[in-house]
C-alpha cells in the first residue's frame, strides 16, 4: 500500500503524530475486537464443557424399569438448576427422541445435520428459549434388552448470559491495561516527536537571525548550535550554508561590478560636463548652444546616477559602527545644505532633541540625510518648508527624518517609494535610487526606513534607528 503524499501546508509535527498514533489506535481497536472474540470463544468453551458434563450426569440418572423409565433426579437439584432466571439451566428428556417425557418442552431439537448422532455422542448447538439465546447439548442413549432396544434423548440448555458476562470480565481485564499502555505510549510518542523536532526549531531560529543580519549571505549557520542534532539536520544545515556561500559570492561579484562600472563612468562623464561647459562659454550666440545645454543636462543626470550607484555600493558593504551624536550630525548636514535650499527658494530648518547618542556610521548617515534633503528640495518646490527632525520614539529607538509641505505622494504610491529605480514623479533630475540608498543604510544600522504622507499635504521620509546598537554590524 503506497503512502499518500504529505498534504501541503500541514506541519511536520502533525504528520509525524498522525502516522505514529493512527496505527497505534488501529492496533488498539483491532486488539479489542480480537480480545472480545477470544473472550466469547473461551466463555462458550467453558459452557460447552459444563453442559457436556451435566447431560452425561443427567443421563446416568435415567434407569429403565420394566417397560418404563426411572428418572432419579432429586427435586433439590432441579431447584438449583432453575433458580436463576437470567442464567437458568433447562433440561428435557424425550423417548423416543422428540416425544416429551420430563423437563422443559421448549428446548429445540438438534439441527438436521446433527440429528443422526451416534448413541453416547454429545451434540452441541445454539437455540432460542423464551426469546433468549441458549446453548444446548443433546445426548442420545439406548436402553432395553437386545431384542427390544429403545432410545431416549437427554437435552440440557444454558442461557448465554454467563458467556457474555465472562467475555465482558475478560475484556475489561485486557483492555484496561491496553488502554493505559496506549496512553503512556502516546505520551512517549508525542514527547519523542517534540524532542526530535527540536533541532529543526533551533535551525529555524538560526536562519531567522541570519535573515535579520545586515548581510545574510555572509553569516553561515553555526555548527556548534546543532552539535546534538541528527545527521539529517546536519546535512540540511550544510546545504543551507552552501547556498548562503553561493549567495554571498554572487553579492560580492555584483557589488564589485557596480563599483567598477561607477568608477569607470565617473571620469568620462566629468570630462564631458567640463568640455560642454567650455563649449557653452565659447558659443554665446551659436545656434548649437541649445543642444549643448541639453547635452550638459543629460551628462549631469548620468553623473548623478553614477554617484548614486557608488553610494548604493558603499551602503551595501559591511560597516563599522561607532558612538556618535545624531542631533549634532543632523544640524551639521542641515547647515551644509542651507545654501542650496536658499538657491532653490526653500525654507530649511532643524528641530530635535539634544545629545541623543547611538552606535552608527557617520559617513553613511550623512549620505542618507543628504539624499533625503536632496529629494525634498528637488520635489517640494520653491516656497515650501523643509524640516530636518530628530526625536526619540521610545527609550530604545530614535527617528531621523526630513519632512516638507510640498505636493507629497499619493497614498497608494507610498509602499513603492523606497524601491530601487521607482519614481513617483516625472520631474527631471531624479533616478529612483536616493530613497533606496536610505533603506540600505537603515538596514546596515539594524533599523528601517519609512515614508508617510502629511496632512493637508506634504511628505515625511526618514530612518528609525535603535539606540542600543553593538559596535559592528559586520559578520
Amino acid at each position: 500500500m503506497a503512502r499518500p503524499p504529505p498534504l501541503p501546508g500541514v506541519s511536520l509535527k502533525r504528520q509525524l503524530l498522525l502516522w505514529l498514533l493512527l496505527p497505534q489506535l488501529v492496533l488498539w481497536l483491532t486488539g479489542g475486537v480480537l480480545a472480545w472474540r477470544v473472550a466469547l470463544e473461551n466463555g462458550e468453551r467453558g459452557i460447552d464443557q459444563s453442559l457436556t458434563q451435566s447431560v452425561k450426569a443427567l443421563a446416568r440418572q435415567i434407569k429403565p424399569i420394566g417397560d418404563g423409565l426411572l428418572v432419579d433426579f432429586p427435586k433439590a437439584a432441579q431447584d438449583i438448576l432453575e433458580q436463576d432466571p437470567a442464567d437458568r439451566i433447562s433440561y428435557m428428556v424425550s423417548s423416543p427422541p422428540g416425544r416429551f417425557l420430563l423437563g422443559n418442552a421448549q428446548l429445540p431439537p438438534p439441527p438436521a445435520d446433527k440429528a443422526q448422532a451416534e448413541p453416547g455422542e454429545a451434540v452441541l448447538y445454539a437455540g432460542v428459549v423464551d426469546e433468549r439465546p441458549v446453548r444446548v447439548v443433546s445426548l442420545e442413549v439406548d436402553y432395553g434388552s437386545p431384542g427390544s432396544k429403545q432410545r431416549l434423548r437427554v437435552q440440557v440448555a444454558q442461557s448465554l448470559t454467563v458467556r457474555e458476562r465472562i467475555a465482558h470480565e475478560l475484556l475489561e481485564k485486557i483492555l484496561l491495561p491496553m488502554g493505559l499502555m496506549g496512553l503512556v505510549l502516546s505520551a512517549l510518542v508525542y514527547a519523542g516527536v517534540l524532542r526530535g523536532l527540536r533541532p529543526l526549531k533551533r535551525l529555524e531560529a538560526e536562519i531567522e537571525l541570519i535573515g535579520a543580519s545586515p548581510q545574510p549571505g555572509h553569516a553561515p549557520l553555526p555548527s556548534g548550535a546543532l552539535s546534538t542534532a541528527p545527521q539529517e539536520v546536519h546535512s540540511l544545515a550544510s546545504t543551507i550554508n552552501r547556498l548562503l556561500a553561493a549567495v554571498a559570492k554572487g553579492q560580492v561579484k555584483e557589488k564589485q561590478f557596480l563599483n567598477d562600472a561607477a568608477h569607470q563612468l565617473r571620469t568620462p562623464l566629468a570630462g564631458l560636463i567640463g568640455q560642454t561647459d567650455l563649449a557653452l562659454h565659447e558659443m554665446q550666440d551659436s545656434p548649437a548652444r541649445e543642444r549643448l545645454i541639453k547635452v550638459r543636462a543629460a551628462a549631469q543626470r548620468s553623473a548623478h546616477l553614477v554617484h548614486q550607484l557608488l553610494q548604493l555600493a558603499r551602503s551595501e558593504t559591511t560597516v563599522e559602527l561607532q558612538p556618535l551624536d545624531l542631533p549634532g550630525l543632523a544640524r551639521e548636514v542641515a547647515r551644509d545644505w542651507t545654501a542650496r535650499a536658499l538657491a532653490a527658494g526653500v525654507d530649511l530648518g532643524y528641530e530635535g532633541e539634544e545629545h541623543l547618542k547611538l552606535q552608527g556610521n557617520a559617513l553613511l548617515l550623512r549620505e542618507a540625510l543628504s539624499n533625503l534633503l536632496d529629494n525634498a528640495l528637488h520635489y517640494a518646490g520653491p516656497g515650501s518648508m523643509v524640516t530636518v527632525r530628530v526625536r526619540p520614539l521610545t527609550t530604545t529607538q530614535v527617528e531621523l527624518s526630513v519632512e516638507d509641505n510640498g505636493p507629497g505622494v499619493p497614498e497608494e504610491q507610498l509602499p513603492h517609494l523606497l524601491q530601487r529605480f521607482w519614481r513617483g514623479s516625472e520631474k527631471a533630475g531624479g533616478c529612483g535610487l536616493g530613497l533606496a540608498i536610505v533603506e540600505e543604510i537603515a538596514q546596515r544600522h539594524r533599523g528601517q526606513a519609512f515614508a508617510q504622507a502629511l496632512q493637508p499635504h506634504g511628505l515625511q521620509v526618514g530612518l528609525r534607528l535603535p539606540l542600543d546598537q553593538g559596535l559592528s554590524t559586520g559578520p
Side-chain angles (χ1 to χ4, degrees), residues 294-323:
K294 293 181 179 180
V295 170
R296 184 179 62 178
Q300 288 175 342
R301 287 196 300 270
S302 299
H304 180 67
L305 174 60
V306 170
H307 177 70
Q308 296 282 57
L309 290 174
L310 281 173
Q311 285 185 333
L312 184 61
R314 188 185 301 119
S315 69
E316 290 181 343
T317 59
T318 303
V319 297
E320 295 294 327
L321 303 183
Q322 298 177 352

Side-chain angles (χ1 to χ4, degrees), residues 45-175:
R45 188 178 298 112
I47 292 176
D48 290 347
Q49 293 177 355
S50 176
L51 288 176
T52 302
Q53 295 175 359
S54 299
V55 76
K56 290 181 178 180
L58 182 58
R60 286 194 295 267
Q61 303 304 317
I62 301 175
K63 302 174 183 179
I65 300 178
D67 294 334
L69 292 173
L70 173 64
V71 180
D72 188 9
F73 193 47
K75 185 68 170 61
Q78 181 178 355
D79 293 340
I80 292 175
L81 290 177
E82 298 181 354
Q83 68 179 352
D84 187 359
D87 189 24
R88 64 187 304 172
I89 298 177
S90 303
Y91 68 94
M92 173 180 170
V93 180
S94 58
S95 179
R99 183 179 178 183
F100 174 76
L101 292 180
L102 183 66
N104 188 347
Q106 296 182 1
L107 295 188
D113 58 337
K114 297 182 179 181
Q116 303 299 325
E118 296 293 330
E121 179 183 354
V123 176
L124 295 160
Y125 56 94
V128 177
V129 176
D130 295 333
E131 299 182 354
R132 293 182 180 180
V134 295
R135 188 69 173 171
V136 186
V137 59
S138 175
L139 179 67
E140 297 191 2
V141 180
D142 289 337
Y143 67 94
S145 59
S148 59
K149 285 187 176 182
Q150 297 186 41
R151 178 168 295 184
L152 65 84
R153 176 183 294 163
V154 181
Q155 294 173 272
V156 177
Q158 184 175 5
S159 171
L160 294 180
T161 303
V162 64
R163 183 191 70 162
E164 295 177 357
R165 185 171 63 245
I166 294 174
H168 279 102
E169 293 175 355
L170 289 176
L171 195 62
E172 291 176 359
K173 293 180 180 179
I174 294 175
L175 291 186

